[in-house]
């Protein structure tokens, strides 16, 4: 079985008498250690499936297997344990705690898992050696996103989920952030899943999953990946 496998996964939302299918019988697989991009237009259902993979939301139909375990059947307590031990999150809007320094934000990982990486070392790895004692308001958008990545990878997650990680960044800074994610996947074997609306990024992925109107419209492997350094958009 693949490391990530969705089997006929559906998610519905009710708005009055209207039922909205955010995900409609989705099927796809992702192997361990792959860099996967899930791409689609706004409203296609990308964030919903990412939230389900991360245990922040639950599917209404189908099964979601992560490392051989069907997380669809987990209780809320079990989902909390799953999120704590196995998943790292990187959000478009960073979600840093404003009254904590970069170091302190990353140190939160040590309160979640037993053997977290040293926060200063992780911040150095993302190019923020000289910014460890700065507060989020003293950092640029790109620097804040790199702190968010450092916080996520400090707990050494098996699965790193990134929701439009470059959406609020300029072109040059976005490339730098993607390079860090690319390197994390290659050097640590972490399974990285990035959702984006930017089709131009797909050549950098091992696997691409295209989503349209809540369904998987296509999925394919890139036989020859292209480094983010060579991609323009």
């Amino acid at each position: 079985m693949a490391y990530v496998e969705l089997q006929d996964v559906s998610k519905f939302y009710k708005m009055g008498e209207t039922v909205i299918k955010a995900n409609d019988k989705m099927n796809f697989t992702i192997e361990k250690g792959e860099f996967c991009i899930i791409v689609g237009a706004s409203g296609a259902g990308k964030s919903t499936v990412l939230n389900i993979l991360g245990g922040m939301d639950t599917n209404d139909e189908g099964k979601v297997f992560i490392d051989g375990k069907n997380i669809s059947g987990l209780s809320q307590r079990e989902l909390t344990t799953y999120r704590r031990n196995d998943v790292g999150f990187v959000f478009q809007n960073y979600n840093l705690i404003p009254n904590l320094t970069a170091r302190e934000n990353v140190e939160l990982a040590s309160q979640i898992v037993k053997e977290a990486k040293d926060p200063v070392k992780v911040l150095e790895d993302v190019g923020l050696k000289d910014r460890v004692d700065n507060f989020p308001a003293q950092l640029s958008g790109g620097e804040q996103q790199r702190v968010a990545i450092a916080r996520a990878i400090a707990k050494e997650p098996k699965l790193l989920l990134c929701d439009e990680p470059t959406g609020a960044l300029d072109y040059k800074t976005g490339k730098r952030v993607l390079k860090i994610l690319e390197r994390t996947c290659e050097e640590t074997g972490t399974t990285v899943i990035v959702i984006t609306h930017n089709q131009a990024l797909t050549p950098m992925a091992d696997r691409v999953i295209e989503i349209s109107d809540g369904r998987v419209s296509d999925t394919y492997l890139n036989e020859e990946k292209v480094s983010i350094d060579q991609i323009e958009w």
Side-chain angles (χ1 to χ4, degrees):
M1 176 176 280
Y3 186 70
V4 175
E5 184 169 345
L6 269 66
Q7 298 178 354
D8 291 327
V9 168
S10 296
K11 178 67 180 181
F12 309 118
Y13 294 103
K14 284 189 175 181
M15 297 184 67
E17 298 297 317
T18 305
V19 176
I20 298 172
K21 292 182 179 180
N23 296 148
D24 187 9
K25 294 191 180 299
M26 281 194 171
N27 291 277
F28 63 76
T29 61
I30 301 169
E31 297 296 337
K32 188 173 179 63
E34 283 187 337
F35 191 107
C36 175
I37 287 182
I38 299 178
V39 63
S42 178
K46 306 185 303 296
S47 292
T48 301
V49 75
L50 199 78
N51 289 340
I52 291 172
L53 289 171
M56 293 191 293
D57 203 350
T58 55
N59 48 303
D60 295 312
E61 294 178 356
K63 296 178 180 179
V64 180
F65 290 96
I66 307 291
D67 199 14
K69 178 183 287 188
N70 180 15
I71 66 169
S72 305
L74 299 183
S75 66
Q76 287 301 314
R77 182 181 293 273
E78 290 170 327
L79 283 173
T80 299
T81 301
Y82 163 68
R83 290 193 300 271
R84 178 188 299 130
N85 296 332
D86 295 347
V87 187
F89 297 97
V90 179
F91 302 99
Q92 179 176 342
N93 295 320
Y94 324 132
N95 286 9
L96 300 179
I97 297 177
N99 61 339
L100 297 182
T101 64
R103 182 209 313 259
E104 291 165 341
N105 266 282
V106 177
E107 279 177 345
L108 291 173
S110 64
Q111 299 178 26
I112 297 173
V113 296
K114 293 180 180 179
E115 297 182 2
K117 291 183 177 181
D118 176 73
V120 174
K121 175 63 170 63
V122 181
L123 285 165
E124 286 180 4
D125 289 344
V126 298
L128 293 175
K129 179 181 178 180
D130 298 325
R131 307 291 263 162
V132 295
D133 293 319
N134 288 95
F135 292 95
Q138 299 170 317
L139 302 173
S140 68
E143 288 170 335
Q144 290 185 62
Q145 188 61 292
R146 280 184 277 157
V147 174
I149 292 171
R151 181 180 59 189
I153 63 179
K155 57 185 268 192
E156 298 190 275
K158 298 176 184 176
L159 190 62
L160 183 59
L161 303 177
C162 309
D163 188 354
E164 296 276 8
T166 63
L169 306 177
D170 62 72
Y171 168 77
K172 185 176 179 181
T173 306
K175 269 200 165 187
R176 186 169 188 175
V177 164
L178 289 168
K179 187 70 175 176
I180 293 169
L181 295 175
E182 184 179 55
R183 191 179 73 230
T184 298
C185 181
E186 292 172 353
E187 295 180 357
T188 68
T190 303
T191 305
V192 177
I193 302 175
V194 174
I195 69 167
T196 181
H197 64 275
N198 190 349
Q199 190 80 33
L201 300 181
T202 57
M204 72 175 290
D206 294 300
R207 184 182 302 267
V208 178
I209 298 168
E210 296 183 354
I211 293 179
S212 178
D213 295 326
R215 289 177 171 266
V216 175
S217 56
D218 194 14
T219 178
Y220 59 90
L221 298 174
N222 282 322
E223 293 185 7
E224 294 186 12
K225 289 171 57 179
V226 177
S227 170
I228 186 61
D229 295 325
Q230 299 173 267
I231 294 176
E232 304 289 340
W233 69 85

